[in-house]
Amino acid sequence: EGERYYRSGDLGRWLEVGAIEFVGRADGQVKVRGYRIEAGEVEAALGGHEGIKQAVVAARGDASGEKRLVAYFVAQEAGQAPGTSELREHLLRRLPEYMVPSVFVRLDEMPLTSQAKIDRHALPEPEESRIESAVEYIAPRTATEEMLAGIWGELLGVEQVGVADDFFELGGHSLLATQLMSRVREAFSAEVALRQLFERPTLGGLALAVEEAILRGAGVAAPPIVPVGRGGALPLSFAQQRLWFIDQLQPGSPVYNMPVAVRLTGRLDVGAMGKTLTEIVRRHESLRTTFAAVDGEPVQVINPARPIELPLIDLSGLSHERREAEANRLAVEEARRPFDLKRSPLLRASLIKGQEEDHVVLLTLHHISSDAWSMGVMVKELVALYGAFREGRSSPLLELAVQYADFAHWQRGWLSGEVLDTQLSYWREQLADAPVVLELPTDRPRPSMQTHNGAQLPVALPENLVESVKALGRREGVTVFMTLLAAWQALLARYSGQDDVVVGTPIANRNRAETEPLIGFFVNTLALRSKVSGGMSFRELLSQVREVCLGAYAHQDLPFEKLVEELRPERSLSHSPIFQVMFALQTAAAGAGRPLELPGLEVKSLKGENNTAMFDLTLNLSEAGGKISGALNYNVDLFDEDTVRRMAGHYERLLSAALAEPDAALGALPMLTDGERRLLLGDWARAEAEYPKGLCAHQLFERQAESTPDATALVSGEEELSYRELNERANRLAHHLRALGVGPESRVGLLAERSAEMVVALLAVLKAGGAYVPLDAQHPPERLRYMMEDAGVGLLIGHRHLLEGAPQTGAQELGLDADWEEAGRPAENPPNLTAPDNLAYVIYTSGSTGRPKGVMATHAGLCNLAQAQARAFGVGE
């Protein structure tokens, strides 16, 4: 743009668009996939080939907006142009691999300026000419290959596809793969598993898979979606039904609002904008559908199309600062205003006027009628319709063949009987015995009822790391999503200490061609489960994640709502069922994030505050233009911002280490940042303090009793004991326990109420030489039995009324308040039989993820902790 104004002599405009940026590119340096590449160096190397007459190298965006290096060349002899493989080998002998162009375009001649110099701006886009692919071009040989080539070209934005071309090397990814298989199903009336594309990624390989499916007689797995009559009751889809039930329980909640705010700079045609929104609502029944109950069951009610109101709020009389503040306030207020699902339309629009050529458009939809893909559909239609209506033309869009209500009817009819059983069978096996909850270390205890109070932390992966992710994916035959998910699950396993991790992920669920152009609530959620052990390598985990994802994609038709209903997992109001952590990767093909470009207007999306969190954590990333960024959304009632920021840093560090050493054990991969490592191994490691060595915990207490015998040691209700009294009572019980056989490493269960007797018993067990095992009478008998048997409890002491309800494990019992007399037992400290490395106690984890695990603590560790706490709180000195 700058060069165009410079050549025309408009130096003022040239400076305005940024002459510094223009001059900075004059040296021919381009940035591709995180690498800075000297284009001239690549051109010189390519021009050194004997078959090349001229060569130019430039960075161009592909169909997804990602930069790629493109080589344009003119051959020495028109009929004897060197092939791509030959050119690549020539360049690889002279340049690093990252400097070798990914696309080669053969031209008959280079475009020239009036000064007879190469006109780089006139170089054609790669898809507009003959692309020399990374493999020799072989034209489609059969009707199947020819049809597939057309589908690939449309999806990937490539003009010519050869038999040996690889889908993923041409820019394909998992979402486009799902769309591809949907088109294949429609084109060939054959069901080909998504796995086949990953195993046969070339055009020829997939054509063989299609032909094999046809020969096997593999017909369409599901009937087509067709229009149904509107005379009777129209059912809700499974996803709609869940949101309808939530709305019945929590009416007026804005949690499922989908707000959008955009600033329009330029001359806005308000009439054309209102007409555009009215036409979009007319085209899509989902936006004018309301919900009613008939005999207790929800039904869809499709309302007639009416003009959409676009109320204007004029702020032009305010100062700039007040305008901005008021516009932000109105945007937040609109985003939080609830919908009434019984009233149409489920789309609200308003227009804020700042100045004559400065407007903010506020759009809010309810999730029951839309999803992220739908927002992309809306943007596409808004661009087409506004441009047409602004010029006085009629709508250029074709009428939709089916509507969302037709999909809901189709879904209800198809997902039943054998089809439903097959889908459920897969998910039952996949999620059998999965952990109920992922026990992440939180800053606060989990509330008894799940909250949705959230915040988000921006996340962006370095460009060189993004390229490494893609490089490993190409080698291992996995997508970017699979690689990032594997690293996320590895991090969650490290944080939770669990080797079984279930993560949810949204999927567009537009795997049928009929649903692609519709606005509606299609998105589904998949539960992706991986077994993660510290001894396995990242490469092994990645292979497992690939299989899990492919299996889930093949069974994505089962709505998550139906899965929860059928599996009936253990429910709790404190957390979501099946999984509590999400991972999402949006791509340009998902529809969401498509740029909004309106004629005569500069459009800028305004970011609103996201103060909701549907799950404990959600890592939500987007891939565009060779970059991966997004946000880590978190529940503020569980996590602090600093905790989440550390987690984001650990994720990047762990991912980087895994990519650098994919065969290293996961448990050995570093995840601490450099600052944390310095803190742990430097500052904290140098913190030294003296503490009594060679002593046991009860000996420290005995020292204190000798030093301050009359000081108060314990208060329990009205009862108060001095150090002398507490020590003597514990001594008498310790002598009694010794007589019962308690000694070093003996495990003594302690089942007592919070009282002075409990503390006396605890000290007595330590003085006798044993290790105590605290037991809670409120726990189920099965849990108490397991803990006693697992710890090897030989003696159980406590209050008699609690012992009567204790499980019978063969352990001897001693009632503190009934089975022994203090009189006659010595009050002196018993001889010490315990060493610092002997057990002091065994304490069990909560066990919410399965069986509780016992943690054994020694006297040395307990003494060190006690001394550290005494210093921290300034006591016991």
Side-chain angles (χ1 to χ4, degrees):
E1 183 182 10
E3 187 174 1
R4 185 168 67 252
Y5 288 113
Y6 183 84
R7 289 186 308 194
S8 68
D10 188 350
L11 298 183
R13 183 61 175 148
W14 176 63
L15 289 170
E16 184 178 341
V17 299
I20 294 176
E21 175 68 16
F22 167 57
V23 172
R25 294 197 302 269
D27 61 357
Q29 189 180 84
V30 295
K31 192 172 184 180
V32 178
R33 301 189 302 273
Y35 295 99
R36 294 192 180 277
I37 299 172
E38 295 291 339
E41 185 177 354
V42 184
E43 291 171 358
L46 186 58
H49 189 282
E50 60 183 9
I52 298 295
K53 181 180 179 180
Q54 284 180 298
V56 175
V57 174
R60 292 294 178 90
D62 62 12
S64 66
E66 182 176 347
K67 289 289 184 182
R68 57 183 175 179
L69 204 60
V70 179
Y72 300 86
F73 68 92
V74 176
Q76 288 284 5
E77 297 183 26
Q80 298 181 10
T84 296
S85 297
E86 181 180 344
L87 294 178
R88 284 179 58 83
E89 291 175 6
H90 171 79
L91 292 177
L92 284 170
R93 289 194 294 268
R94 293 161 175 79
L95 301 171
E97 184 175 4
Y98 71 86
M99 293 181 68
V100 177
S102 57
V103 177
F104 291 83
V105 179
R106 185 179 64 250
L107 301 176
D108 294 332
E109 60 182 10
M110 290 289 178
L112 301 178
T113 67
S114 57
Q115 289 82 25
K117 296 182 179 181
I118 294 176
D119 189 351
R120 293 175 179 267
H121 292 280
L123 291 169
E125 290 294 331
E127 52 267 27
E128 296 174 357
S129 65
R130 170 72 181 95
I131 295 179
E132 293 289 332
S133 66
V135 294
E136 293 295 332
Y137 176 73
I138 303 174
R141 300 157 299 188
T142 66
T144 301
E145 290 177 349
E146 189 174 351
M147 291 174 65
L148 282 176
I151 297 173
W152 282 32
E154 180 182 0
L155 283 176
L156 300 172
V158 178
E159 187 174 87
Q160 209 162 221
V161 180
V163 172
D165 285 334
D166 187 294
F167 180 81
F168 299 101
E169 289 184 358
L170 291 179
H173 46 72
S174 58
L175 183 58
L176 281 176
T178 300
Q179 289 182 256
L180 171 62
M181 303 319 286
S182 175
R183 306 284 176 87
V184 167
R185 182 189 300 112
E186 183 179 48
F188 299 98
S189 296
E191 192 73 20
V192 181
L194 183 60
R195 182 188 301 271
Q196 290 284 343
L197 178 61
F198 282 85
E199 295 175 350
R200 303 177 178 185
T202 64
L203 183 78
L206 184 60
L208 286 175
V210 171
E211 291 169 352
E212 289 169 2
I214 295 173
L215 290 174
R216 288 195 309 268
V220 179
I225 302 174
V226 297
V228 297
R230 297 295 191 262
L234 295 172
L236 278 63
S237 70
F238 291 109
Q240 283 182 321
Q241 181 173 288
R242 179 174 66 88
L243 292 197
W244 183 84
F245 277 125
I246 291 175
D247 186 74
Q248 302 305 298
L249 295 173
Q250 300 174 335
S253 171
V255 171
Y256 290 98
N257 283 9
M258 299 180 66
V260 177
V262 292
R263 168 163 268 128
L264 306 178
T265 305
R267 191 167 296 279
L268 173 66
D269 188 329
V270 178
M273 180 61 70
K275 189 176 179 181
T276 295
L277 295 175
T278 296
E279 175 62 8
I280 290 175
V281 174
R282 184 202 68 79
R283 285 173 52 79
H284 296 276
E285 291 180 350
S286 58
L287 297 178
R288 47 189 170 90
T289 296
T290 54
F291 302 87
V294 176
D295 297 328
E297 292 295 323
V299 296
Q300 297 190 55
V301 179
I302 301 173
N303 298 276
R306 296 186 180 91
I308 292 296
E309 297 180 3
L310 190 59
L312 178 66
I313 305 171
D314 193 345
L315 304 180
S316 59
L318 303 178
S319 65
H320 175 75
E321 291 75 13
R322 290 189 61 191
R323 280 201 309 269
E324 292 299 307
E326 181 64 8
N328 288 334
R329 186 192 69 79
L330 290 171
V332 171
E333 183 180 88
E334 165 57 28
R336 294 176 179 175
R337 186 156 61 97
F339 281 95
D340 182 350
L341 299 187
K342 298 186 292 294
R343 298 180 60 188
S344 175
L346 295 183
L347 176 149
R348 293 194 302 261
S350 56
L351 187 63
I352 301 174
K353 179 181 179 181
Q355 292 179 316
E356 190 61 33
E357 295 191 357
D358 179 28
H359 295 80
V360 173
V361 176
L362 303 179
L363 292 177
T364 310
L365 297 89
H366 194 282
H367 204 354
I368 201 169
S369 64
S370 184
D371 55 20
W373 181 297
S374 298
M375 301 304 286
V377 174
M378 179 173 288
V379 167
K380 180 179 179 181
E381 294 195 355
L382 197 152
V383 171
L385 292 170
Y386 178 79
F389 295 156
R390 180 173 176 264
E391 297 173 0
R393 295 183 285 111
S394 59
S395 169
L397 302 177
L398 297 175
E399 287 297 311
L400 298 167
V402 296
Q403 294 283 344
Y404 187 84
D406 303 318
F407 163 77
H409 183 273
W410 170 88
Q411 184 190 58
R412 291 282 180 172
W414 180 56
L415 276 177
S416 60
E418 184 178 350
V419 173
L420 179 61
D421 291 341
T422 300
Q423 293 269 337
L424 281 173
S425 176
Y426 168 83
W427 287 109
R428 282 196 185 100
E429 181 179 353
Q430 187 68 17
L431 299 174
D433 300 320
V436 175
V437 65
L438 185 65
E439 291 284 1
L440 295 172
T442 59
D443 295 299
R444 284 167 291 281
R446 185 182 293 277
S448 58
M449 179 172 290
Q450 184 182 8
T451 68
H452 298 294
N453 302 320
Q456 57 183 6
L457 180 81
V459 173
L461 299 182
E463 291 186 27
N464 61 337
L465 189 58
V466 174
E467 178 56 31
S468 297
V469 168
K470 295 179 178 179
L472 180 64
R474 289 192 291 269
R475 294 196 301 269
E476 299 299 318
V478 299
T479 63
V480 171
F481 171 86
M482 294 173 185
T483 304
L484 297 177
L485 171 64
W488 181 235
Q489 290 185 312
L491 180 78
L492 295 173
R494 292 273 287 268
Y495 261 70
S496 66
Q498 296 173 217
D499 57 7
D500 197 346
V501 178
V502 183
V503 170
T505 189
I507 189 167
N509 202 31
R510 307 273 183 147
N511 57 347
R512 304 198 63 81
E514 304 98 309
T515 64
E516 290 184 17
L518 297 182
I519 291 177
F521 187 18
F522 293 93
V523 66
N524 195 14
T525 305
L526 304 179
L528 305 178
R529 180 186 187 186
S530 294
K531 300 294 183 68
V532 187
S533 67
M536 71 189 310
S537 68
F538 185 72
R539 196 187 304 275
E540 291 171 330
L541 176 60
L542 196 55
S543 176
Q544 180 189 159
V545 168
R546 178 182 183 272
E547 294 303 308
V548 168
C549 288
L550 290 178
Y553 296 156
H555 298 84
Q556 64 175 285
D557 290 302
L558 184 70
F560 182 73
E561 297 77 19
K562 188 65 174 176
L563 175 64
V564 174
E565 176 186 327
E566 294 289 337
L567 293 187
R568 297 180 182 178
E570 180 182 325
R571 302 301 294 266
S572 170
L573 295 177
S574 66
H575 59 77
S576 57
I578 299 182
F579 60 83
Q580 297 79 45
V581 175
M582 290 276 287
F583 175 76
L585 177 66
Q586 301 287 343
T587 62
R594 181 183 283 114
L596 178 58
E597 298 177 353
L598 299 176
L601 294 170
E602 179 184 338
V603 183
K604 181 181 180 182
S605 177
L606 302 180
K607 298 291 185 182
E609 292 186 4
N610 184 1
N611 56 3
T612 62
M614 301 308 297
F615 300 91
D616 294 357
L617 288 170
T618 298
L619 181 56
N620 200 340
L621 301 175
S622 297
E623 180 186 4
K627 298 180 180 180
I628 295 179
S629 60
L632 184 50
N633 180 250
Y634 60 97
N635 188 310
V636 297
D637 293 319
L638 296 177
F639 300 100
D640 290 333
E641 182 180 344
D642 287 344
T643 300
V644 176
R645 180 174 286 104
R646 284 194 300 272
M647 181 177 286
H650 292 162
Y651 176 69
E652 181 181 322
R653 183 73 180 91
L654 184 63
L655 174 62
S656 178
L659 295 173
E661 297 184 84
D663 292 314
L666 289 175
L669 293 176
M671 71 176 190
L672 297 181
T673 63
D674 293 340
E676 289 171 332
R677 185 173 293 277
R678 285 193 299 270
L679 185 64
L680 286 173
L681 302 182
D683 299 347
W684 289 357
R686 287 192 297 269
E688 298 178 355
E690 288 295 326
Y691 72 95
K693 297 180 176 64
L695 295 179
C696 295
H698 54 278
Q699 290 178 299
L700 292 182
F701 178 79
E702 290 169 356
R703 279 189 172 188
Q704 189 65 34
E706 292 176 5
S707 175
T708 58
D710 298 320
T712 300
L714 182 148
V715 176
S716 177
E718 299 297 325
E719 187 174 7
E720 184 175 310
L721 296 179
S722 65
Y723 274 95
R724 177 191 294 108
E725 292 169 331
L726 179 56
N727 191 50
E728 290 179 350
R729 288 184 59 178
N731 287 339
R732 293 189 177 96
L733 180 55
H735 285 289
H736 186 71
L737 294 178
R738 285 259 180 100
L740 295 177
V742 176
E745 301 299 320
S746 298
R747 320 291 169 79
V748 179
L750 183 56
L751 187 65
E753 294 177 343
R754 188 180 180 90
S755 61
E757 288 88 353
M758 182 191 74
V759 180
V760 168
L762 185 153
L763 275 172
V765 172
L766 297 179
K767 286 171 172 283
Y772 67 89
V773 182
L775 302 170
D776 190 339
Q778 301 298 318
H779 286 167
E782 294 79 8
R783 176 186 173 90
L784 294 177
R785 180 188 304 278
Y786 172 79
M787 292 168 61
M788 291 174 63
E789 292 176 347
D790 185 63
V793 171
L795 174 65
L796 180 64
I797 63 177
H799 292 105
R800 175 48 59 186
H801 68 282
L802 297 180
L803 296 178
E804 291 174 355
Q808 299 300 310
T809 63
Q812 184 180 358
E813 294 182 358
L814 174 66
L816 294 175
D817 47 0
D819 297 341
W820 77 289
E821 294 289 340
E822 292 189 39
R825 295 293 180 183
E828 295 78 18
N829 296 331
N832 181 52
L833 303 177
T834 314
D837 58 354
N838 282 133
L839 278 182
Y841 61 86
V842 180
I843 192 166
Y844 279 78
T845 61
S846 62
S848 57
T849 59
R851 288 186 171 183
K853 298 178 181 179
V855 178
M856 300 186 292
T858 64
H859 280 270
L862 182 56
C863 287
N864 194 12
L865 174 64
Q867 291 293 294
Q869 290 178 335
R871 288 193 301 271
F873 296 109
V875 298
E877 297 179 353

